[in-house]
Amino acid sequence: MTEQWAPVCAFDDIDAEDVVRFDHGGKTYAVYRTADDKTYATDGLCTHEQQHLAEGFVIDDIIECPLHQGRFHIPTGKARGAPVCIDLKTYPTRVIDGMVCIRISDHLS
């Protein structure tokens, strides 16, 4: 397995307490900037009804799905409010030369 850091956007392109959608390799991610200027990434679709989380609302370190208001803890991906009960997968992030990047692991054949 190899590690790949995929650039998402400039750090300043994500407002504090906001989320952006990032599509890469046929998968959708949600990339967040919290009020304390930390960045995080999770799967981009709600585990309840597959709604894009980038259309949701960030409140402190919680993302609220726009469809049924299910909530997830951004740093851990843990489901925090009905109707969601399945956690989101999380991905490491880092800011490299002012760009927010997420680590995506690729399996070698």
Side-chain angles (χ1 to χ4, degrees), residues 2 4 6-7 14 17 37 40 48 57 70 76 81 83 87 94 98 105:
T2 61
Q4 173 186 353
I14 306 175
E17 290 191 300
D37 285 334
Y40 298 93
H48 176 244
F57 303 98
T76 64
D87 299 341
R94 97 172 28 153
S105 297

Side-chain angles (χ1 to χ4, degrees), residues 17-19 32-33 56-64 74:
E17 290 191 300
D18 205 1
V19 55
Y32 311 87
R33 178 176 167 188
F57 303 98
V58 175
I59 306 158
D60 297 321
D61 61 357
I62 299 292
I63 179 69
E64 182 180 272
I74 293 168

Side-chain angles (χ1 to χ4, degrees), residues 49-105:
E49 293 268 339
Q50 302 300 298
Q51 178 70 30
H52 288 280
L53 292 173
E55 297 171 9
F57 303 98
V58 175
I59 306 158
D60 297 321
D61 61 357
I62 299 292
I63 179 69
E64 182 180 272
C65 178
L67 189 59
H68 294 116
Q69 290 70 52
R71 294 179 175 201
F72 299 93
H73 183 240
I74 293 168
T76 64
K78 298 288 184 195
R80 288 286 173 93
V84 297
C85 57
I86 299 170
D87 299 341
L88 295 169
K89 184 173 179 184
T90 61
Y91 303 87
T93 62
R94 97 172 28 153
V95 178
I96 303 170
D97 296 327
M99 293 291 293
V100 177
C101 301
I102 67 172
R103 190 176 74 199
I104 300 168
S105 297

